[in-house]
Amino acid sequence: MNRLFSQESPMMRFLNAFADLIAVNLLMILFSLPIVTVGAAVTAGCRVTRDIAGDCVGKIIPSFWQAFRENFRQATVFWIVHLAVLLGLSYNFYLFQFLLDESHYKWMLVLLILALVAAVGIGVYGYMLISRYRNGLAAHLKNATLLFLNYLPLSVLLAGLNAIPAVLFVFSPRIFLETFVAWVGFGFALILLLDNLMLKRVFAILENPPKN
């Protein structure tokens, strides 16, 4: 019994990690309230959930605040541009209904969906890169695009995963409301944790390229 409740037992490590996820999720929501700071909050969430995934997390609040503060300017600019792209593409879904006939609209719909997948996927890589490396914003955007294209199947999966909250909110508000407690409690941080786990091998290759 003592071994079961030991801090090193699998159950206690899982419970500690879950509690950390809840803390990160609440911090992300709190720091995203001005809307303009969403990018910095997501970037901070990326860094702290990476620590959780690597089982090397320290104190959640100081770690989150440090990452938020360090990347605030760059992540905020990236977020504003990213949001503008996402809103522009989303608006075109409605705009082209009135500008195009049905057959042309179907083709445009496919192109818009592909563009949204690319925008979401590149955004995921962008926030991850900002949270990990010191680089110019243009370089981050370029690298995010290259990573998206180089790991295309994984990138599409990442885009789908990160789009779940928005897709539910727009197309199935009832399910979104039914799962609202989960999203507020730990959902957004869980997605970032899964992002880090899925990208662990990608960044390991980048940081330790195989020797010829």
Side-chain angles (χ1 to χ4, degrees), residues 8 13-14 22 25-27 54 71 110-111 113 154 158 172 183 195 203 209:
E8 298 303 318
R13 290 173 66 182
F14 170 79
I22 293 174
N25 205 72
L26 294 177
L27 286 169
N71 300 302
V110 172
L111 292 176
I113 291 173
L154 176 61
L158 283 169
S172 187
W183 291 114
D195 289 342
F203 286 114

Side-chain angles (χ1 to χ4, degrees), residues 35-155:
I35 304 300
V36 73
T37 59
V38 168
V42 170
T43 303
C46 288
R47 181 180 297 183
V48 180
T49 52
R50 182 175 81 238
D51 293 340
I52 295 173
D55 200 22
C56 57
V57 64
K59 295 182 179 180
I60 296 295
I61 295 178
S63 297
F64 187 95
W65 171 245
Q66 180 181 1
F68 181 89
R69 190 172 42 119
E70 288 178 355
N71 300 302
F72 178 81
R73 181 176 299 178
Q74 195 170 63
T76 299
V77 174
F78 187 85
W79 158 247
I80 292 172
V81 174
H82 192 215
L83 179 63
V85 171
L86 293 175
L87 291 178
L89 290 172
S90 301
Y91 176 71
N92 284 330
F93 275 98
Y94 300 98
L95 179 63
F96 287 134
Q97 291 184 53
F98 305 102
L99 297 180
L100 302 175
D101 56 49
E102 185 176 351
S103 60
H104 287 92
Y105 178 70
K106 288 180 179 178
W107 284 106
M108 186 56 67
L109 193 62
V110 172
L111 292 176
L112 285 173
I113 291 173
L114 293 175
L116 271 174
V117 170
V120 174
I122 291 171
V124 172
Y125 284 111
Y127 295 116
M128 287 289 178
L129 289 170
I130 292 172
S131 74
R132 282 175 173 266
Y133 309 114
R134 294 287 173 267
N135 214 336
L137 194 57
H140 279 317
L141 182 57
K142 176 185 174 182
N143 292 333
T145 304
L146 291 174
L147 286 170
F148 177 85
L149 295 174
N150 196 43
Y151 297 94
L152 192 56
L154 176 61
S155 301

